Amino acid sequence: MTDRLNVIFSALPPCKTFADVGCDHGYIAKAMMDFKKCEQAIISDVSAKCLIKAETLLKEYISAGKVTAVVSDGFDKIASCDLALIAGMGGEEICLILTRAENLPKALALQPMKNCDKVRKVAVEKGYKIIKDFLFKSADKFYDFILLEKGEDFLTEEEIVFGRDNIKGENPAFIESLKIRAEKLSEYLNNGALKSAEREKLSLELERIKKYV
């Protein structure tokens, strides 16, 4: 597995039935089975052709009746599970999957590629509370990981934008990402062609970042 997938796998709690929504090659589902972090697993993809890769990797578990492969748009054809992972998708796509789902599991693990703030808001609105929410670095890129369980929660604006765990303590990856963003914002603000509304927006973002750097 890649470093990104290893971080995600390490952050997943044990469960009885694990579902990987949009499973790609199925590496995390295989690790969950190999290391006995789940008893059963469901792998899914919206494309039957794409699902073949994961089915091939997990063929022994499928033959043993421990892994089920389904062609599913989000949770549409996924039976009940304790923990579901949605990783490597855009935040808006994850929000759409959560919004459309009629039945959601007890726990969710989400790794959006962007628009993480929207994912946090929608997940809490769907009745989840945040257990973990942190930024990590892999192959010179930054990723958000959010683990949630059903329950009530309230997010401040700062938690929505930056992630609860990131602003609670020292996270080197989070600080590094903010420094990079602050440098880019400073460059943008030195552009004399910026319109006043855009300049004000970027200035406010830079001031917000400076609180944590």
Side-chain angles (χ1 to χ4, degrees):
M1 291 197 297
T2 63
D3 287 342
R4 178 179 72 91
L5 294 181
N6 273 317
V7 171
I8 293 171
F9 169 69
S10 297
L12 295 175
C15 64
K16 184 176 180 180
T17 303
F18 169 72
D20 192 344
V21 181
C23 62
D24 194 39
H25 287 80
Y27 293 133
I28 291 184
K30 187 174 188 302
M32 290 290 286
M33 296 300 302
D34 286 348
F35 288 91
K36 295 179 170 50
K37 287 183 76 172
C38 68
E39 298 175 14
Q40 299 281 328
I42 302 167
I43 53 173
S44 79
D45 198 285
V46 71
S47 164
K49 184 177 180 180
C50 291
L51 191 58
I52 291 173
K53 297 177 292 186
E55 289 176 306
T56 301
L57 181 69
L58 289 152
K59 61 182 179 181
E60 291 184 9
Y61 285 117
I62 292 173
S63 297
K66 293 185 176 181
V67 172
T68 303
V70 293
V71 176
S72 178
D73 186 359
F75 287 92
D76 287 355
K77 295 182 181 179
I78 293 180
S80 61
C81 61
D82 306 295
L83 168 65
L85 169 68
I86 311 177
M89 298 185 193
E92 292 187 349
E93 187 174 0
I94 292 176
C95 289
L96 182 60
I97 289 173
L98 297 181
T99 302
R100 287 180 56 249
E102 293 184 6
N103 295 300
L104 287 168
K106 176 184 176 182
L108 285 172
L110 309 175
Q111 189 270 291
M113 302 301 281
K114 57 182 180 179
N115 295 317
C116 197
D117 54 337
K118 295 181 180 179
V119 173
R120 292 182 181 107
K121 289 179 68 175
V122 168
V124 170
E125 288 170 0
K126 293 291 289 184
Y128 284 90
K129 61 180 179 181
I130 290 176
I131 306 301
K132 297 178 183 178
D133 186 349
F134 62 89
L135 190 81
F136 67 95
K137 186 179 181 181
S138 173
D140 294 325
K141 293 183 179 179
F142 297 97
Y143 303 94
D144 288 285
F145 177 83
I146 313 169
L147 179 66
L148 309 108
E149 291 182 358
K150 284 194 172 179
E152 292 185 7
D153 206 344
F154 172 80
L155 298 179
T156 66
E157 186 63 27
E158 297 292 292
E159 289 173 335
I160 290 171
V161 174
F162 295 116
R164 180 173 288 165
D165 292 342
N166 294 321
I167 64 176
K168 279 167 51 176
E170 290 290 324
N171 180 346
F174 175 62
I175 293 172
E176 182 183 352
S177 71
L178 290 188
K179 286 181 178 179
I180 293 171
R181 179 59 179 164
E183 289 176 5
K184 290 182 179 179
L185 287 172
S186 296
E187 290 176 7
Y188 295 153
L189 288 168
N190 287 330
N191 184 348
L194 278 178
K195 294 181 180 180
S196 58
E198 182 67 13
R199 182 175 297 278
E200 181 180 0
K201 178 182 176 182
L202 296 180
S203 296
L204 289 172
E205 183 181 350
L206 183 58
E207 287 305 310
R208 172 177 269 177
I209 285 174
K210 284 181 177 178
K211 292 189 294 184
Y212 301 104
V213 175

